[in-house]
Amino acid sequence: MCGTIMFAQTNLSTVDQVGEQNTSTVGQTGVNNISNVDQLTNTLGTSDDNTSVVTQSGDSNISFVWNDGDGHDSSVTQDGTDNNSYVNMWGNESKSTVNQKGTENKSRVYQWNKTDDHVSSVVQDGLKNVSFVRQQGGDGNTSDVNQTGDLNNSDVRQLGNTNESNVLQDGESNRNYVTQTGDDNMATVRQGSTDWESRHGLVNVYQRGDENTATAIQEEDYNQIDQDQIGNNNTVTAKQNIGAWGDSNIAKQYQEGNSNEATARQENYISDTYGVDNDLNNTLQIQKGDNNKAVAYQDGKKNDLDLYQLGNGNSDNQKQKGELNRSDVDQLGNSNVSGVEQEGDSNRSIVYQLGDSNSSDVFEKGNANYSYIRQEGNENNAVIKQVGDINNSTLRQIGDGNNSETWQYGDTNMSTVTQTGNNNTSLVSQGRDFDANTADSDNNKSTVRQKGNGNWQSTDQYTDLAGGSNDNISNVYQDGNNNYSFNSQTGDRHNSDVDQLGNSNESEIWQGGFEQTSVVLQDGNSNISHVHQSGNNHMSTVRQLGNSNNSHVTQANN
């Protein structure tokens, strides 16, 4: 006869105190729980006035607490199975709270390198969540981590003084990394909420400097936010899929300098409509300098938006709604202003500003529109507005004080404007605003080249009659100073060509009806040419070689 001796599974608690007025309270309910509390120093001396509370309910939970220094306050609560907590406090008067509920959650809190007055709170509710908090190399840092769900991972590092980090993860398989180096920085990360979970999301926040603020908020699946701040007083915000379906959006924001502001939102913010997916959108914002501002909004799918600001006091506002839209803005200089708004599909906008105090504004509504603005110099102004499909507008300004505006309403219109010099003005209208009395215009082409100073030109290719003005061609070339050109094409299939070589020349062409042709060459100074064509199929050629010539041509059918 033989027998087996059975041993009941027991909990294990170890407390080691060296110093004065230390307090440790351990409560264990369940089996195979382990608690170790050390209130002592690893150097000569004692640890005094520390408080530690450990409460374990469940099975196989592990808690390790080390209070090295004076005045620490530590609390660990574990309710579940196989949870693991490690708290290391080295300095004075820091506070750590860990609350674990669920299974196989893991928490690590390090308040060390003889630093003081740190505060850390970790709450984990779910399965296999992991949290690392490192507060070192400074005093008075605050970290708050709240994880609800499964397989979430958070890593917070604070090296400096009075930095604050708030992390909330609600969902599964989310990751976030927060690094704060400097003083008085603020980071807020929210992945998911009680209404909309986040799954497989990634957030990276890096702050180096003082008084920087970063906010990263996202819901739904596979979204990513990267935020880097190097300098002081910078502010960055990114929001993705808040209360909206969608996945795989990416927002990247980089700030180097002082007092920069950047905002990126990819979440049905523009339309404020629910039930529309936001997928595969990308935003990139780079700011190098001081006092730059950037705003980016995107609704829809597979939109791309890039911004690069190098200088001081630049401002950019970009909005895209639809699918496969792309916007690129580069601002190199100071006090430049750019605005881009695109609504539709497959629209493309490029803006390049090199210099100071330049201004550009782009509006595209429709599909497959293209616009390009390049400004090199100071105080130039450019406006492009496109409503319709497959319109194309290119605008280049090299010099100072130039102004160009292009308006395209209709389909497959094309406009090219090049200004080289100072204080030149170009106005191109291909169609006008839609209203009860105005029709769009299609297939018009306008080319403008201005070289010199103080030149002015206006090209109108539109009519308020039904059907619009279609298939017109206008070419204007001004080489000199203070030249004036006005072309009006109402009707269809007109062709006008104006060359002004010299100074203070004046040309006006009015074409109505059908298939008019007018050619004007002015080579000299102070020449005047007026051409009026109505009816059908007229042709006029004016050549003025010399100075102060005057020509008036009128053509009409009976």
Side-chain angles (χ1 to χ4, degrees):
M1 179 178 179
C2 64
T4 301
I5 300 176
M6 304 297 294
F7 294 95
Q9 296 298 308
T10 59
N11 297 303
L12 176 64
S13 174
T14 302
V15 177
D16 195 355
Q17 296 173 313
V18 178
E20 298 180 359
Q21 296 184 350
N22 294 300
T23 300
S24 175
T25 303
V26 178
Q28 296 175 313
T29 303
V31 296
N32 296 326
N33 294 300
I34 298 173
S35 172
N36 188 95
V37 177
D38 289 338
Q39 293 173 319
L40 50 85
T41 179
N42 63 356
T43 58
L44 295 177
T46 62
S47 292
D48 304 327
D49 300 306
N50 295 296
T51 300
S52 175
V53 177
V54 178
T55 303
Q56 295 174 313
S57 301
D59 302 332
S60 303
N61 296 298
I62 298 175
S63 171
F64 181 89
V65 177
W66 185 6
N67 298 146
D68 185 343
D70 301 332
H72 294 307
D73 188 347
S74 173
S75 174
V76 177
T77 302
Q78 295 173 314
D79 183 2
T81 304
D82 293 314
N83 294 299
N84 191 303
S85 172
Y86 180 91
V87 177
N88 186 330
M89 309 168 78
W90 182 17
N92 298 301
E93 298 185 354
S94 291
K95 182 176 181 178
S96 173
T97 301
V98 177
N99 191 322
Q100 295 175 312
K101 183 178 181 180
T103 304
E104 295 186 50
N105 295 299
K106 181 179 180 180
S107 173
R108 296 288 183 268
V109 177
Y110 299 93
Q111 297 169 321
W112 56 353
N113 284 359
K114 295 183 179 181
T115 55
D116 303 334
D117 300 308
H118 297 305
V119 177
S120 172
S121 174
V122 177
V123 177
Q124 296 174 314
D125 187 353
L127 172 67
K128 292 185 178 180
N129 295 297
V130 177
S131 172
F132 283 85
V133 176
R134 298 171 178 85
Q135 297 172 315
Q136 61 194 78
D139 300 325
N141 294 300
T142 301
S143 172
D144 190 340
V145 177
N146 192 316
Q147 297 174 312
T148 302
D150 303 331
L151 302 170
N152 295 299
N153 192 308
S154 174
D155 191 326
V156 176
R157 301 187 182 191
Q158 296 174 313
L159 297 87
N161 301 299
T162 57
N163 296 297
E164 183 175 348
S165 172
N166 295 295
V167 174
L168 185 149
Q169 295 176 313
D170 194 327
E172 64 179 57
S173 302
N174 295 295
R175 293 173 295 151
N176 85 266
Y177 304 91
V178 176
T179 301
Q180 296 173 310
T181 303
D183 301 335
D184 300 306
N185 295 298
M186 175 71 180
T188 300
V189 176
R190 180 166 70 81
Q191 296 174 294
S193 66
T194 56
D195 296 324
W196 296 74
E197 289 187 349
S198 174
R199 293 167 293 272
H200 303 282
L202 173 63
V203 173
N204 295 299
V205 177
Y206 177 79
Q207 297 173 311
R208 189 177 75 192
D210 302 331
E211 298 183 2
N212 296 298
T213 301
T215 302
I217 301 175
Q218 61 186 19
E219 297 173 355
E220 286 296 293
D221 302 333
Y222 296 100
N223 292 302
Q224 178 178 336
I225 296 174
D226 295 329
Q227 297 173 324
D228 291 315
Q229 296 175 305
I230 301 174
N232 305 317
N233 297 300
N234 295 299
T235 301
V236 64
T237 301
K239 296 182 179 181
Q240 299 188 138
N241 291 106
I242 307 305
W245 291 300
D247 59 72
S248 304
N249 296 295
I250 299 175
K252 295 185 177 183
Q253 300 166 303
Y254 179 87
Q255 296 174 314
E256 183 178 334
N258 304 312
S259 301
N260 296 298
E261 298 179 15
T263 299
R265 301 184 71 166
Q266 300 179 141
E267 50 163 338
N268 278 342
Y269 176 79
I270 302 172
S271 57
D272 195 25
T273 57
Y274 293 92
V276 178
D277 287 354
N278 279 300
D279 301 326
L280 298 167
N281 296 300
N282 292 283
T283 294
L284 173 64
Q285 296 171 313
I286 298 175
Q287 297 173 310
K288 294 184 178 182
D290 301 333
N291 299 303
N292 295 298
K293 294 183 179 180
V295 176
Y297 296 149
Q298 293 196 129
D299 289 354
K301 298 180 180 180
K302 297 182 180 179
N303 296 299
D304 285 296
L305 187 155
D306 290 350
L307 166 69
Y308 180 68
Q309 293 174 317
L310 177 61
N312 304 316
N314 296 299
S315 178
D316 175 65
N317 191 319
Q318 299 181 69
K319 296 180 181 180
Q320 295 189 137
K321 179 183 177 182
E323 298 184 13
L324 296 169
N325 295 300
R326 181 170 180 84
S327 175
D328 293 293
V329 175
D330 291 333
Q331 295 176 313
L332 311 178
N334 305 312
S335 303
N336 296 298
V337 178
S338 174
V340 177
E341 184 171 353
Q342 297 185 126
E343 182 176 342
D345 300 332
S346 302
N347 294 300
R348 181 80 163 94
S349 175
I350 300 173
V351 176
Y352 180 85
Q353 295 174 315
L354 175 61
D356 300 333
S357 302
N358 295 297
S359 176
S360 73
D361 188 39
V362 175
F363 177 83
E364 295 177 327
K365 183 176 182 180
N367 302 315
N369 294 299
Y370 173 84
S371 69
Y372 176 87
I373 294 176
R374 185 179 185 93
Q375 297 172 309
E376 297 183 34
N378 305 313
E379 298 181 351
N380 295 297
N381 179 62
V383 176
I384 294 176
K385 188 170 185 178
Q386 297 172 318
V387 179
D389 300 331
I390 321 179
N391 293 299
N392 186 308
S393 179
T394 300
L395 195 162
R396 295 179 176 88
Q397 295 172 315
I398 302 174
D400 301 333
N402 296 298
N403 179 60
S404 177
E405 298 183 12
T406 300
W407 305 74
Q408 295 174 315
Y409 295 86
D411 300 330
T412 59
N413 294 297
M414 180 177 291
S415 172
T416 301
V417 177
T418 302
Q419 295 174 312
T420 304
N422 304 317
N423 301 310
N424 296 298
T425 298
S426 173
L427 306 174
V428 176
S429 296
Q430 296 173 314
R432 295 297 294 180
D433 296 80
F434 291 112
D435 58 38
N437 300 313
T438 304
D440 58 46
S441 296
D442 303 327
N443 304 315
N444 294 296
K445 182 178 180 180
S446 171
T447 302
V448 176
R449 291 184 298 161
Q450 294 175 312
K451 183 179 179 181
N453 303 316
N455 296 300
W456 188 96
Q457 90 80 33
S458 177
T459 299
D460 290 346
Q461 295 172 315
Y462 72 92
T463 180
D464 58 0
L465 300 177
S469 295
N470 307 308
D471 303 302
N472 297 296
I473 297 174
S474 173
N475 296 303
V476 176
Y477 177 62
Q478 296 173 315
D479 187 350
N481 302 319
N482 301 311
N483 293 298
Y484 168 89
S485 173
F486 177 79
N487 295 327
S488 175
Q489 295 175 317
T490 60
D492 300 333
R493 301 179 66 176
H494 301 310
N495 193 319
S496 70
D497 189 277
V498 176
D499 290 321
Q500 294 175 314
L501 310 177
N503 303 318
S504 302
N505 294 296
E506 177 182 318
S507 171
E508 290 188 5
I509 297 177
W510 300 78
Q511 294 176 314
F514 183 73
E515 285 192 350
Q516 315 290 1
T517 300
S518 177
V519 178
V520 175
L521 171 62
Q522 295 173 316
D523 189 350
N525 303 316
S526 303
N527 296 295
I528 297 175
S529 171
H530 290 181
V531 176
H532 293 259
Q533 296 174 314
S534 61
N536 303 319
N537 302 306
H538 298 300
M539 181 173 182
S540 170
T541 300
V542 176
R543 295 177 64 229
Q544 295 174 315
L545 308 179
N547 303 319
S548 302
N549 296 296
N550 195 317
S551 171
H552 293 266
V553 176
T554 301
Q555 295 175 314
N557 296 112
N558 292 328

